[in-house]
Amino acid sequence: MSLTAQLPALQVVVPLLTAPLVVLLRTPGLSWAAATAASLTAFAIAVALAGQVLAGEVIHYEMGGWPAPFGISLNIDALGSLVLLLVTGASTLALVGGRDSLATEIEAGRRHLFYAAWLIVLAGLSGIAVTGDAFNVFVFMEISSLATYVLIAAGPDRRALTATFKYLIMGTIGATFYLIGVGMVYMMTGTLNFADMEVRLAEVTELRPIVVAAGFITVGLALKAAMFPLHVWLPGAYTHAPHMVTAFVAACSTKVAIYVLLRFDFFVFQNNLSQHDLHFASFLLPLALLGILVGSAVAMVESNLKRLLAHSSVAQIGYILLGASLISEAGITAAAAHMFNHALAKGAMFLAVAAFALRLSGVRLNDIAGVGRQMPLTFAALAVAGASLVGIPGTAGFVSKWLLLQAAFAQGTLGLVAVVVVVLSSLAAVVYVWRIIEAAYFCEPSAEVQAAREAPLPILAVLLLAAAANIYFGLVPAFPLSLAEMSATELLGGLQ
Amino acid sequence: MMELLGLYNYWVFAVLLMIGFYAVIARPNMVKKLLGLSIFQAAVFLLYITMDKVEGGTAPIIQKGVEDAIYSNPLPQVLILTAIVVGISTTALGLALVVRIHEAYGTIEEDETQRADLDE
């Protein structure tokens, strides 16, 4: 078998096996280099896989040569490939640019362990995106979650510890709910393979356990995805984590949970439960709308930059779920495209925050007053990413928001409510992004800010690259859009 | 009546799940929260182990000369072995966090740590 055929397995195996190697290397410099190399390799694999998927291939791989449903099969479709790109891309950018930032936050003697945990998060999140087995998803979810707790608890002050504890409790409850749901489906079908599950569910006559399972799985994954009102772990965890961890985790981990949610609800349950789409939409739509409103409203009054962006993430997750709960081709395309675009915008913004933190003593709005003139390039990148977050034409955020509005308009009266909410929340986004820009550019700089220089080259380069991607994918959105459209077709393929 | 009794394990599952869940939500003490979380997870282990029971089934080991034996389903047991490992790791990590929280705050009561953060 050629190496290309093994790419789906290597996607997980490369970071997973590099993790113990990084522990053995011990020195901070070498362990960083090994972790970055593994992450770059994973990104290259994800790009190669995306190329195959775009060529119209659904990649199917049997672990150890055991045929499904007996062995574990790996399946990579368009949505999975999109998620893989996000996970590996965010990890690579944060690692390449993050060396200086992490050096200030993690003590040298522990840094190799930190990088090992980082690689395990990467392996776990990639594993969720490639696997075609429901129990395997649980295992990878817990692998990545446990390692994420370690990364977040490495944050500089003690509040990181309590925030992590909260996340650990809620994350475990979410994962256990998912496990209960999978158990019930297994009880009725005798299989754990997604594709096999869908086929065998059609023969199940007593559907009540499946309905219960759908409830458990949806709620459990909603907890992991930080859907309103289950998002309370998110602001604390994002705020107190090391800056680079926030940039990595905020860009992709909640999206991976949404990916599993869509996969279960559309592939497995959609065709087998009567009116499942109605239940799904009537559960998610109101919560998505509330999440958009509440997240944006809180972000408008928040004064800590990281916490502000975290609340904005709650709202953005609402957009993605709103698109999905419209259950139309246009809606799901918008949701998938927004996953990609939001990761670009939010990842770039958190990178900019990390750059500020390297030069300033804090990241509250007061602390960054006037920094725009001292760190013009960082500030410019922040402004571009902010514009993308708001959805200004010419940036990536505009493309998916426009799709979302079109999809909502197509739904009639109920859609109009959604349109009003999205517009209101975009106005709120203008307010909170403007507050950052106002503080950074128009306020009088303090003595500390006046002494600040531009961020070090690696982080600046990564940041500018991320900002440029926000503009590039705003002007030439063909690549994420075609993956998003393919995802929508696949997810709705079974829908009659 | 017999039908309800026959579902004995499932009743225990539901009761254990709720006891664990209650402890997680209602107790401010972090060690008790973790205890609750462990009970909560153990309930799910019981659910999986119960569902693999086949009436009259024996351990799934193939023996020479025995051809018409009924076997219990081994797969859920394997799955739950993995889930137990995950559960232990979660508890261990949680307890390690509690130790660190105690070092940093001098308390492991959630309400007191919240107050300490607000006072800052």
Side-chain angles (χ1 to χ4, degrees), chain B residues 52-66:
Chain B
D52 77 355
K53 169 79 181 155
V54 177
E55 207 139 309
T58 175
I61 302 165
I62 294 174
Q63 277 181 305
K64 256 190 195 151
V66 184

Side-chain angles (χ1 to χ4, degrees), chain A residues 135 139 142 146 149-150 153 158-159 161-162 164-165 168-169 172-173 176-177 179-180 182-183 186-187 192, chain B residues 10 24 30 40-41 44 48 51 73 75-76 79 82 86 89-90 93 97-98 100-101 104-105 116-117 120:
Chain A
F135 192 80
V139 175
E142 283 309 84
L146 284 167
Y149 306 147
V150 175
R158 65 180 188 179
R159 279 169 297 176
L161 300 171
T162 40
T164 310
F165 190 80
L168 182 137
I169 297 280
T172 308
I173 291 175
T176 310
F177 265 39
L179 190 62
I180 297 173
V182 170
Y186 177 75
M187 203 154 47
L192 291 165
Chain B
Y10 292 100
V24 172
M30 293 182 183
F40 183 70
Q41 290 178 310
V44 183
Y48 271 74
M51 76 172 83
N73 183 354
L75 187 69
L79 298 182
T82 317
V86 169
S89 323
T90 312
L93 186 68
L97 268 175
V98 172
R100 290 275 310 274
I101 287 173
Y105 287 85
D117 281 339
E120 257 178 20

Side-chain angles (χ1 to χ4, degrees), chain A residues 404-460:
Chain A
L404 188 61
L405 285 177
Q406 278 181 323
F409 263 123
Q411 300 289 317
T413 332
L414 190 67
L416 280 180
V417 179
V419 169
V420 171
V421 168
V422 170
V423 170
L424 273 179
S425 151
S426 298
L427 290 176
V430 173
V431 173
Y432 61 70
V433 169
W434 179 252
R435 283 180 69 215
I436 303 174
I437 292 177
E438 189 190 12
Y441 200 74
F442 294 103
C443 287
E444 276 307 306
S446 63
E448 183 201 49
V449 170
Q450 268 171 348
R453 290 165 292 122
E454 195 57 84
L457 186 64
I459 188 167
L460 196 62

Side-chain angles (χ1 to χ4, degrees), chain B residues 55-112:
Chain B
E55 207 139 309
T58 175
I61 302 165
I62 294 174
Q63 277 181 305
K64 256 190 195 151
V66 184
E67 270 165 19
D68 53 350
I70 306 167
Y71 296 121
S72 282
N73 183 354
L75 187 69
Q77 306 198 0
V78 179
L79 298 182
I80 243 41
L81 205 60
T82 317
I84 287 172
V85 174
V86 169
I88 289 172
S89 323
T90 312
T91 312
L93 186 68
L95 287 172
L97 268 175
V98 172
V99 170
R100 290 275 310 274
I101 287 173
H102 187 255
E103 282 170 8
Y105 287 85
T107 175
I108 53 166
E109 303 287 325
E110 196 170 46
D111 43 350
E112 287 172 22

Side-chain angles (χ1 to χ4, degrees), chain A residues 225-229 231 234-235 238 254-255 258 284-300 307-323 338-339 342 346 389-390 401 404 418 421-422 424-430 432:
Chain A
M227 182 181 85
F228 180 87
H231 68 282
L234 184 141
Y238 281 15
T254 50
K255 276 133 206 137
I258 294 178
L284 280 186
L285 189 70
L287 292 176
L289 292 179
L290 274 174
I292 295 174
L293 287 176
V294 174
S296 304
V298 178
M300 280 200 293
R307 200 174 270 276
L308 184 159
L309 292 175
H311 280 290
S312 141
S313 276
V314 174
Q316 303 283 333
I317 290 160
Y319 286 137
I320 299 172
L321 290 171
L322 170 66
H338 201 65
M339 274 192 197
H342 171 240
K346 202 45 80 55
L389 199 63
V390 174
K401 244 182 203 175
L404 188 61
V421 168
V422 170
L424 273 179
S425 151
S426 298
L427 290 176
V430 173
Y432 61 70

Side-chain angles (χ1 to χ4, degrees), chain A residues 211-225:
Chain A
V211 177
V212 177
F216 270 116
I217 288 171
T218 309
V219 172
L221 291 171
L223 235 168
K224 286 265 179 197

